[in-house]
Amino acid sequence: MELLKAENVSFTYQNKYQTVHAVKQASCSFEPGRTYAIVGKSGSGKTTFLSLLAGLELPTGGDVFFEGRSTRDMDCDAYRRDHAAVIYQSYNLFPLLTAEENVLYPLKLKKVPRAEAQERARARLTEVGIREEEFARFPLQLSGGQQQRVAIARALAAGNRLVLADEPTGNLDVGSGEQVVDILVRLAHEDGCAVVIITHDLDIAARMDEVFTMRDGVLVRGD
C-alpha cells in the first residue's frame, strides 16, 4: 500500500523575468519497503518536486498525500520531524553543534530517552563512516564528505518511515557513496522505509527498485 502519493502535482512561480512551470501535473506513488530514483538534467524540476514531497513547498496545483492526508492540511514541520526524513545536498548541519549533537537533535525533538538517543546516534555515525574521534568535532572541522555523512546519519537516526534524499552521495568518493547507498537500500528492504533519491548518478539509479525521470517539469516512469 502506498505511503506517499503525488496526484497531478504542479508548481509554478514568478521570477523577475517570467512565469516558471517547474513541475507539471506529476503523479506517482511510493510504497514502504521499496527504493526509488528520480533522475533528470539540472533544472528539470527534480529538486523542486522533492521539496513538494517533503512539504517544504506546497503545490500550486494537485496534492501530495502522506498516508492519505494532504500536506496542505498538515503541520509540515511536524510531518518532516515525525515522518519524512530529508537528506539535503547542502548538509544543513547546525554549525555550533558537534557531529554527535547534530544527530541527537531530531531525537531530542521526538523525546527519545537520552541513553537510547545517544546509542542510536553513535551507531548511525559509525555506520556512515564517521570515526569515534570525530563525533565531537564541529561541522567546520569536518570535510565536505564528512559533513554529508553526518547529515545522512542525522536523517537515518530519526527512524522515520519515509526518506527523501537530494543527491546524498554528491560529495562522497565512490567507496563512501556505495556505502551510503547500501544503507539506504537496507532501510527500505530490511526496515520497511520508502526511500526516494534524487540523483545524477545512473549507477545509483540502476540499484533502485523503480526509476522516474523528470524532463522540463514532466515526470515519467523509467529512464
Side-chain angles (χ1 to χ4, degrees), residues 25-26 35 120 147 151:
Q25 294 188 314
T35 57
R120 194 189 300 181
Q147 291 183 59

Side-chain angles (χ1 to χ4, degrees), residues 64-89:
V64 173
F65 297 96
F66 180 80
E67 294 185 325
R69 185 181 177 195
S70 173
T71 53
R72 298 182 191 279
D73 303 324
M74 294 181 185
D75 176 337
C76 286
D77 289 334
Y79 165 56
R80 288 186 296 277
R81 181 189 68 225
D82 297 332
H83 304 295
V86 184
I87 300 171
Y88 300 95
Q89 188 175 15

Side-chain angles (χ1 to χ4, degrees), residues 22-121:
V23 178
K24 305 170 185 174
Q25 294 188 314
S27 295
C28 58
S29 60
F30 306 98
E31 299 178 3
R34 290 179 63 80
T35 57
Y36 301 84
I38 301 175
V39 301
K41 295 179 180 178
S42 295
S44 62
K46 305 186 306 298
T47 295
T48 300
F49 187 55
L50 193 79
S51 296
L52 296 169
L53 297 179
L56 292 164
E57 300 278 1
L58 294 177
T60 53
D63 282 281
V64 173
F65 297 96
F66 180 80
E67 294 185 325
R69 185 181 177 195
S70 173
T71 53
R72 298 182 191 279
D73 303 324
M74 294 181 185
D75 176 337
C76 286
D77 289 334
Y79 165 56
R80 288 186 296 277
R81 181 189 68 225
D82 297 332
H83 304 295
V86 184
I87 300 171
Y88 300 95
Q89 188 175 15
S90 57
Y91 321 135
N92 282 22
L93 298 177
F94 297 108
L96 299 181
L97 297 183
T98 66
E100 183 174 337
E101 288 167 343
N102 265 280
V103 179
L104 282 170
Y105 182 77
L107 301 177
K108 288 181 178 179
L109 292 180
K110 288 189 166 190
K111 298 182 172 22
V112 176
R114 178 165 180 78
E116 178 187 342
Q118 190 170 54
E119 181 180 359
R120 194 189 300 181

